[in-house]
Amino acid sequence: MDNNSRNVLVITPSEEISKRVEAALSSHNEINLENEANTLTTLNGKAMELACKNDVILFTTDPKSETDIDALRALAKGHKDNTVFIALTRGDISLAEARELNKAGANEVLPYQTSEAELNQQIQHWIKEKYNANSQVAPSEGQSGKIIAVSQTRGGVGSTTVAVNLADQLISTKSRFNKKAKNKVALVDLDFQFGTVGSFLDIKEQDNMLQLAVDGRMPDLTFLKQSMVSLPNGLSVLPAPSKFAPINILKKDQVAAILDILKAEYDYVIVDMPRALVDWVGPIFERADKLYLVSDTSVPSIRQARRLIDFFSEGNLALPIELLINHESKPFFLSQHHKEAAKALERDFKHWIPDDPIIARKAVDCGKPISAVSPRSKLSKAFKTLAKDVLTAFPVAQHKSEIN
Ligand SMILES: Nc1ncnc2c1ncn2[C@@H]1O[C@H](COP(=O)(O)OP(=O)(O)OP(=O)(O)O)[C@@H](O)[C@H]1O
Ligand SMILES: [Mg+2]
């Protein structure tokens, strides 16, 4: 295939539609058009392979079919090549249904009746978009920061350890695209009642967040600047209250405002999530660019992971959720148990953090990140790898530290 040729695939059981697309693209010699007389759902595993090979995939779908939506979501989430998905569907679908398709990963939703000329125009438009996006090495300047949420499948599995050490490594690990400036990173402890970020990092107890919740005020930048503690490595931390308070005293719009302000100020905002699924976790899901679900591989944790993934996805269908296995080094070969667990969760076990109680304990007792007490340990390296993954997925074009 030469560099200018483009691959377009039509997935539809309808002969009429595949013929229409063929006619729409007949004058484009650079386009290799293929056809799968199938539905998205029945393609199953093959769909992923097709998504990697094609620039544009047009498919017919019924937005009422949950299996179609699930198949699209899995496909759009799983592939990495900016494949464009164009859904062809009934002309009378509701706005909510169209949005559902968009959220699941469809770049465009068109009615079955779309004319050949319009189909041609849309396909050309999306090919152009795809190649323009790929030609940009990094996102545009002044981009908003990325929000990475960290949650857990059971208490004590290590989500605070992950949030703290990921934030720490994001500061010190240089981005592939900009090696000069440090990343500006905020760590927010939204484990409102039981947050331990403050003690993990030896931060003096303070109750600014509690006061905000009690007063029912909306946070602004000044409030956050006064409430955040700046550590010697440059990490800014918003600790959870040290006193107990009812969890629902904090309100949705306050959480939303905290995140929106921090997103504008920092390159990365790491959120240690509460265990309780209160209504104000909604704004976190809506804004998060990625969620790490920290777990072990025990059966109860995997079951809980399944329930949580479903719950989180309801809050934001497009939210990428990655499983992070704590207390286990990556095995050379996955055991049958691991394979079955990964299958049940419909995702790979991508991240593994080894068990190292001595170093983990030392870091907590010193009130420092693991990199400060044992930079060469496997534990420290595992967090560095995790941070690199975030930096690769979300490169920073111009650091906020350079702008401010
Ligand atoms: N990979 C690891 N190896 C050894 N010990 C670890 C590891 N990860 C975390 N720990 C230890 O496990 C304990 C619980 O960790 P952490 O507080 O991060 O869990 P959590 O999921 O946030 O708990 P909580 O439910 O209380 O919020 C801590 O003492 C921590 O040092
Ligand atoms: Mg915790």
Side-chain angles (χ1 to χ4, degrees):
M1 189 185 81
D2 73 67
N3 282 343
N4 293 322
S5 71
R6 306 288 179 242
N7 294 328
V8 175
L9 173 70
V10 187
I11 304 175
T12 179
S14 155
E15 208 175 312
E16 191 213 319
I17 288 181
S18 68
K19 284 209 169 123
R20 187 129 38 92
V21 178
E22 196 182 328
L25 297 174
S26 58
S27 61
H28 293 275
N29 293 335
E30 79 286 6
I31 291 182
N32 306 313
L33 182 66
E34 286 202 28
N35 187 51
E36 277 283 341
N38 231 320
T39 65
L40 209 53
T41 316
T42 46
L43 280 175
N44 288 326
K46 198 178 165 201
M48 191 64 79
E49 189 195 319
L50 294 171
C52 297
K53 281 205 284 201
N54 287 283
D55 297 297
V56 178
I57 294 186
L58 288 105
F59 61 97
T60 45
T61 182
D62 175 1
K64 288 212 163 38
S65 152
E66 273 185 30
T67 45
D68 264 17
I69 297 268
D70 284 346
L72 172 62
R73 193 178 307 130
L75 202 58
K77 224 186 252 178
H79 80 95
K80 290 198 168 56
D81 300 320
N82 280 350
T83 305
V84 173
F85 294 93
I86 300 180
L88 290 162
T89 186
R90 293 189 328 268
D92 61 350
I93 64 166
S94 67
L95 202 58
E97 285 170 330
R99 226 177 108 63
E100 193 81 334
L101 280 165
N102 283 138
K103 277 211 235 158
N107 300 74
E108 189 66 75
V109 181
L110 299 174
Y112 290 139
Q113 300 79 6
T114 306
S115 67
E116 286 171 19
E118 176 71 11
L119 274 172
N120 177 22
Q121 203 192 347
Q122 285 292 338
I123 295 168
Q124 298 303 332
H125 162 79
W126 282 107
I127 288 179
K128 223 160 135 198
E129 284 280 305
K130 173 183 165 166
Y131 283 88
N132 280 347
N134 279 353
S135 65
Q136 287 170 6
V137 175
S140 58
E141 290 181 2
Q143 65 181 0
S144 65
K146 298 295 173 196
I147 297 184
I148 317 281
V150 183
S151 189
Q152 53 175 191
T153 54
R154 66 162 174 85
V157 74
S159 51
T160 300
T161 306
V162 170
V164 165
N165 290 288
L166 172 61
D168 168 62
Q169 292 283 2
L170 279 173
I171 293 246
S172 47
T173 308
K174 296 280 180 282
S175 148
R176 202 148 58 91
F177 299 108
N178 192 335
K179 299 197 184 317
K180 276 186 293 167
K182 270 193 168 184
N183 300 316
K184 230 182 139 191
V185 184
L187 172 60
V188 187
D189 193 350
L190 282 180
D191 189 359
F192 189 70
Q193 289 182 309
F194 303 107
T196 51
V197 168
S199 38
F200 267 59
L201 293 169
D202 196 21
I203 290 170
K204 221 172 111 220
E205 291 186 349
Q206 54 128 306
D207 290 317
N208 291 17
M209 215 202 296
L210 179 60
Q211 204 52 52
L212 179 92
V214 171
D215 295 348
R217 268 186 306 128
M218 282 300 277
D220 56 15
L221 185 57
T222 317
F223 163 83
L224 288 173
K225 280 192 169 156
Q226 283 165 358
S227 310
M228 291 181 83
V229 180
S230 199
L231 299 183
N233 65 355
L235 179 65
S236 299
V237 184
L238 183 61
S242 56
K243 292 197 194 91
F244 282 110
I247 193 152
N248 51 11
I249 191 171
L250 196 61
K251 296 288 175 253
K252 253 178 155 175
D253 48 0
Q254 291 174 316
V255 173
I258 291 175
L259 296 178
D260 288 340
I261 295 166
L262 294 181
K263 217 171 121 123
E265 284 290 303
Y266 290 86
D267 297 315
Y268 300 99
V269 181
I270 311 300
V271 181
D272 194 0
M273 301 262 303
R275 190 112 196 274
L277 300 175
V278 271
D279 71 336
W280 54 255
V281 294
I284 312 176
F285 299 141
E286 284 155 23
R287 285 161 180 74
D289 295 282
K290 181 174 274 198
L291 184 139
Y292 286 117
L293 183 56
V294 184
S295 185
D296 54 33
T297 56
S298 68
V299 170
S301 294
I302 297 300
R303 282 204 184 140
Q304 189 67 349
R306 178 70 265 172
R307 294 171 62 205
L308 285 168
I309 289 169
D310 291 344
F311 177 82
F312 296 156
S313 304
E314 250 174 56
N316 176 359
L317 288 168
L319 173 64
I321 302 173
E322 289 185 7
L323 213 64
L324 194 153
I325 304 299
N326 193 17
H327 301 282
E328 261 184 75
S329 295
K330 186 174 183 180
F332 280 116
F333 300 104
L334 289 186
S335 68
Q336 194 55 28
H337 167 71
H338 286 141
K339 282 185 196 156
E340 275 167 21
K343 196 167 160 221
L345 299 177
E346 295 167 84
R347 62 206 68 219
D348 293 338
F349 292 169
K350 207 170 155 201
H351 314 281
W352 302 75
I353 308 284
D355 190 42
D356 193 335
I358 296 176
I359 290 174
R361 175 73 191 262
K362 192 170 163 199
V364 176
D365 285 350
C366 296
K368 291 196 166 119
I370 288 162
S371 70
V373 297
S374 186
R376 285 172 210 281
S377 61
K378 280 193 180 153
L379 200 50
S380 188
K381 284 182 185 157
F383 287 116
K384 199 175 191 78
T385 305
L386 187 64
K388 277 203 180 133
D389 212 69
V390 171
L391 291 168
T392 307
F394 306 114
V396 180
Q398 187 180 14
H399 293 267
K400 300 245 164 28
S401 56
E402 289 172 326
I403 303 167
N404 298 336

